Amino acid sequence: MKGLPVTDHTPLLEDFSLEMTGKDIASLREAAPAIPADTRINVTFLGNEDLQMRVAAAKAVKELGFVPVPHISARRLTSQGELEEFLAALQGVGASEHVFVVGGDPEVPAGPYPDSLTVIRSGILQSYGVKEVSIAGYPEGHPDIADDVLWSHLGDKVSALREQGLGHVVLTQFAFDADAVSAWIDEVRSRGVDSEIRIGTPGPAGIKRLLGYARRFGVGTSASIAKKYGFSLTNLLGTAGPDRFVTELADLRANVSDPSETRIHFYTFGGLLATAEWAKNFRDGK
């Protein structure tokens, strides 16, 4: 693995964040020695998980010396009561200060929250100790939402969080195209959004799995991803890491004046240890 010969890529990785599911507690404990203290670790809100699993994962993150960022999936919530029960449980284990509020996958909302903005505007978050809210960004677009709508929603959410005195972070869907991501960051800043930005990218993972997730979220074609990410479609049984993506993004952002920080967020696909070790090795130039 080659380090960057000119650009210092450290700023992107010096405070990276990770993602886990409610089922990954054992994997987190295994990976903990390789993860820097106070690393943000997002905990998903999936349909096949329940409140107890999500809270147990957030508690484990906290107990291991990291910063839990539990997800709240607006369209999966069946009622205000369910939202408050979840937040109360998170607060009870010291894991409610940072949350990621996202619309979620269901086509039809299960309850009163059709989108993340509705949850934010409810005023409920602060009552349970929330101090900072992450919101979604889509550098390569969304397969079901027009770009102008995405930009409008982003601005509305940032404005609502500012009005409520809450910190705000833009956390993006995973991306493969560094050029598109860099242009998107510039557009975010031109719209007056000064939030910290965390750019989502897959950690080292199997190529078939990467392409499967990319198809699910409408992120490019297999050929374009292979070209940008630097792997061969003739070796679908192999693995790929974000080496090229991180290197190219660091090059593109090296001389850009940015009012706030830009960091990397890794979607680990269960590979917490592999991702943490990759980040350390890459920073060390190995």
Side-chain angles (χ1 to χ4, degrees), residues 1-10 12-13 140 175-183 185-186 199 201 224-231 241-256 262 264 278 282:
M1 183 186 298
K2 295 181 179 180
L4 291 173
V6 178
T7 302
D8 179 11
H9 58 274
T10 302
L12 281 176
L13 291 175
E140 297 186 45
F176 295 93
D177 188 335
D179 292 309
V181 169
S182 185
I185 294 172
D186 290 338
I199 299 297
T201 195
S224 66
I225 293 168
K227 180 179 179 182
K228 287 289 183 181
Y229 219 57
F231 58 77
D243 308 52
R244 177 178 291 189
F245 175 81
V246 173
T247 298
E248 290 183 353
L249 185 59
D251 283 338
L252 290 166
R253 307 306 299 171
N255 299 311
V256 177
T262 299
I264 292 292
W278 178 92
F282 191 76

Side-chain angles (χ1 to χ4, degrees), residues 220-243:
T221 65
S222 295
S224 66
I225 293 168
K227 180 179 179 182
K228 287 289 183 181
Y229 219 57
F231 58 77
S232 171
L233 290 175
T234 61
N235 182 26
L236 295 182
L237 296 180
T239 60
D243 308 52

Side-chain angles (χ1 to χ4, degrees), residues 6-215:
V6 178
T7 302
D8 179 11
H9 58 274
T10 302
L12 281 176
L13 291 175
E14 68 183 9
D15 183 26
F16 65 83
S17 49
L18 300 166
E19 188 143 322
M20 65 177 288
T21 74
K23 302 181 182 69
D24 290 335
I25 295 176
S27 296
L28 176 65
R29 289 186 175 132
E30 177 191 23
I35 302 173
D38 298 321
T39 294
R40 290 170 178 247
I41 300 183
N42 286 44
V43 180
T44 57
F45 195 110
L46 302 177
N48 59 359
E49 300 169 349
D50 58 23
L51 182 148
Q52 288 75 24
M53 292 175 65
R54 297 165 188 144
V55 174
K59 180 182 179 182
V61 171
K62 180 77 172 180
E63 290 177 343
L64 288 166
F66 309 123
V67 178
V69 186
H71 292 196
I72 298 172
S73 179
R75 296 166 74 86
R76 292 191 186 280
L77 294 168
T78 60
S79 65
Q80 178 178 321
E82 183 181 5
L83 172 59
E84 297 202 53
E85 180 186 13
F86 183 45
L87 288 169
L90 291 172
Q91 188 176 36
V93 298
S96 67
E97 290 191 2
H98 305 266
V99 297
F100 174 47
V101 184
V102 65
D105 294 334
E107 184 176 348
V108 177
Y113 305 109
D115 51 41
S116 56
L117 184 60
T118 312
V119 173
I120 292 168
R121 284 178 170 166
S122 71
I124 292 171
L125 299 177
Q126 302 94 311
S127 301
Y128 293 91
V130 174
K131 296 181 179 179
E132 179 188 83
V133 178
S134 296
I135 55 178
Y138 299 91
E140 297 186 45
H142 190 290
D144 301 318
I145 305 175
D147 285 349
D148 60 336
V149 175
L150 290 175
W151 286 118
S152 175
H153 285 183
L154 180 65
D156 289 345
K157 285 181 278 191
V158 170
S159 295
L161 292 168
R162 285 174 177 162
E163 290 168 5
Q164 296 178 42
L166 292 171
H168 39 91
V169 174
V170 179
L171 173 63
T172 79
Q173 177 55 269
F174 64 81
F176 295 93
D177 188 335
D179 292 309
V181 169
S182 185
W184 178 85
I185 294 172
D186 290 338
E187 179 71 11
V188 170
R189 299 310 188 203
S190 75
R191 291 172 179 265
V193 175
D194 59 356
S195 314
E196 175 184 285
I197 296 175
R198 290 188 171 267
I199 299 297
T201 195
I207 291 172
K208 287 182 70 174
R209 194 168 193 183
L210 289 176
L211 294 177
Y213 274 91
R215 283 192 294 271

